Structure formats: C-alpha cells, structure tokens
Amino acid sequence: AVLRRLAVFRGGFRRGAAEAVAAATPATLSSLADKSLVRLQPGGRYHLHELLRQYAEARLAESPGEAPPARAAHAAYFVGLLEARLEALLGAGQRAARLELREELHNVRAAWEWAAARGDTGALRRAAPALAVLHDRSGSYHEGAAAFGAAARALAALPSGEVDEAVLLARLVVEQQLGRFHVRLGRIDEAGEALATADALHARLGR
C-alpha cells in the first residue's frame, strides 16, 4: 500500500514527504530499500526506478478509494512547501530555498498541475507567488509561462456555473504572473493579452 502511494511522487522524495503523503514510516522505507523497491541515495533522498513507479502507479489507479487521497495529499504537501518558502525566496535565504525547490521541481509541477486540473483555486493562489518567484529568479521563464499558461486555460475552461469570486481571484493572480513571464520572454502581444485579462478581472471584482 505504501509503495502504491509513493508512486505519486515525481523525481524522488525525502522521508518527511513520504511520511506526510504515503504514511511511510522510517521502518517501512527501510524495508522497501532492503527489498530494492526504493533506493536511498547519498543526501537522504529516495527514488523509485521509473518502471517500478509506473507499475505501482497502475496498481494505485486500481484502488479508486486510495488514489485521489494520495494525489490530494501530495498536492497539499508541495503547495504548502511553496507557501512556506516564499519569505525565504524573497530574502536572505533565497539561494537555499531555490535549491530545495529546484530539487523538488517535478513534485512541485505535479502538485500545481493537479490543483489547476481540479480548479483548486485556494491551492493555486497559495502556490502562485512562490512558484512565480522561483521561476523568475532561476531564469526559467519558459517553464514559468508554461505552468501559469496551463493554469490560466484550466480556470478559463471551468463551467460558468462554477465561476465565483474565488475562481476570479485565482484567474487574476495567474494571469498577472503569466503576463510577467511573457514580458521576460519578449512576447509582448501575449503579455498584453494576459494583462488585459487581469485588468478585466480587476474591474469585474470591483478592485
């Protein structure tokens, strides 16, 4: 069961994340490592071989009561990590925070995509500031534009009956950050479209 839930990670994981997301105790992780089902690398990071991860993910998909909670826990953990590191990203601890988040970038990206696909506006709003700073300070403008562009499309595609103030606020934040990355990339027309959308959302919200 733990191995199935560990399949939601991308690019490896640390023990604390495994405990929070997959209920993996140190003893269980040690047992899985002894059986060569996970690899503990120098520095304390665990990895699943990709073929084994895919196999475990397929088994997880066969457990409809287990898969959504595991993916939701994964998203919540890494959205929380982004939110917790925002202050450091903007201050004296930015180098260490960037290194930590770059190490978890595959997990961060999966969490962001999960939140966007489900219209989880709260998660998107909490994660957006730190994710934008991470990509901006790292110079990964294409990745930033792709992440915020996908979220913008997902939110814009929500049925009109589901669009409330929370959705509009999330779209506002996402479109603003999308505009930032288009500017960085010299895509002036695209930046104008994103910022015009943000301006219209400001007006719609009466802000």
Side-chain angles (χ1 to χ4, degrees), residues 43-83:
R45 192 168 181 80
Y46 291 87
H47 280 271
L48 276 74
H49 188 282
E50 181 57 20
L51 289 178
L52 179 57
R53 192 202 66 75
Q54 290 176 14
Y55 172 81
E57 187 173 44
R59 301 289 76 76
L60 181 67
E62 294 171 356
S63 304
E66 188 177 16
R71 296 195 182 282
H74 176 272
Y77 182 88
F78 287 101
V79 166
L81 181 63
L82 280 168
E83 191 175 22

